[in-house]
Amino acid sequence: MGAIQILISDDHAIVREGLRTLIASEPGMELAGEAADGAEAVLKARALHPDVILIDLVMPRKDGLEAINEIKRENPDARILILTSLADDDRLVQALQAGAAGYLLKGAPPKKLLQAIQAVYKGDFSN
C-alpha cells in the first residue's frame, strides 16, 4: 500500500507551510497538492483524487462548506477532514452533515492531526 495522498486547503500560507512540513516528516504520508481557497480545492480534488482532504471552513472565493458540498457531490467517497479554529461555527455542523468525516481544531497537537488523517483515511474518524 502506498503513502496516504493528502490535499491541503487553507488560505493562510503559513498554515499550509506548517502542514506541508508535518506531512513530509511522517512516513506513509505525502502531499498531493495545496489549495489557497475553496474554488482551488474543488479543482485540485477533481484533478488529484487525494486520499484525504484537509480543508479550512473560512476561505475566500468559495468557503470550505461550499467546497465540501461540491467535492462530495462529484465524489461521494472523498474523505474530508475539517481543520478549523472555530469549534462553535455553525458551518462546522453543516459541513459534517454534508459529508466531512470529522474535524480538528487548528490548536490540536501535530500528533493528533496525523492520527486524525490516518483515521479518516481508514474511514473511522469524527470528533
Side-chain angles (χ1 to χ4, degrees):
M1 181 157 30
I4 301 170
Q5 298 295 308
I6 302 162
L7 172 63
I8 297 168
S9 182
D10 195 292
D11 59 322
H12 294 100
I14 195 163
V15 172
R16 291 193 313 273
E17 176 69 28
L19 292 170
R20 184 182 323 122
T21 301
L22 180 64
I23 290 165
S25 73
E26 184 67 14
M29 292 187 187
E30 289 181 0
L31 183 67
E34 296 181 30
D37 60 50
E40 189 178 7
V42 171
L43 294 174
K44 294 276 178 98
R46 185 182 299 141
L48 300 172
H49 304 285
D51 297 316
V52 175
I53 301 167
L54 294 180
I55 194 164
D56 187 15
L57 290 178
V58 181
M59 293 185 290
R61 292 201 313 152
K62 186 176 288 196
D63 71 18
L65 178 58
E66 292 173 294
I68 290 167
N69 278 312
E70 194 168 336
I71 291 166
K72 291 296 280 187
R73 193 167 39 252
E74 291 181 16
N75 179 5
D77 296 327
R79 295 179 179 125
I80 300 172
L81 177 62
I82 300 163
L83 196 55
T84 184
S85 56
L86 305 170
D88 61 349
D89 191 335
D90 290 338
R91 290 172 293 189
L92 182 57
V93 173
Q94 293 172 350
L96 293 169
Q97 290 171 340
Y103 74 93
L104 199 62
L105 295 176
K106 287 184 177 179
K111 183 174 182 161
K112 188 168 183 179
L113 174 60
L114 294 171
Q115 290 169 340
I117 291 169
Q118 291 171 342
V120 167
Y121 176 68
K122 293 174 185 172
D124 46 70
F125 182 80
S126 65
N127 200 355

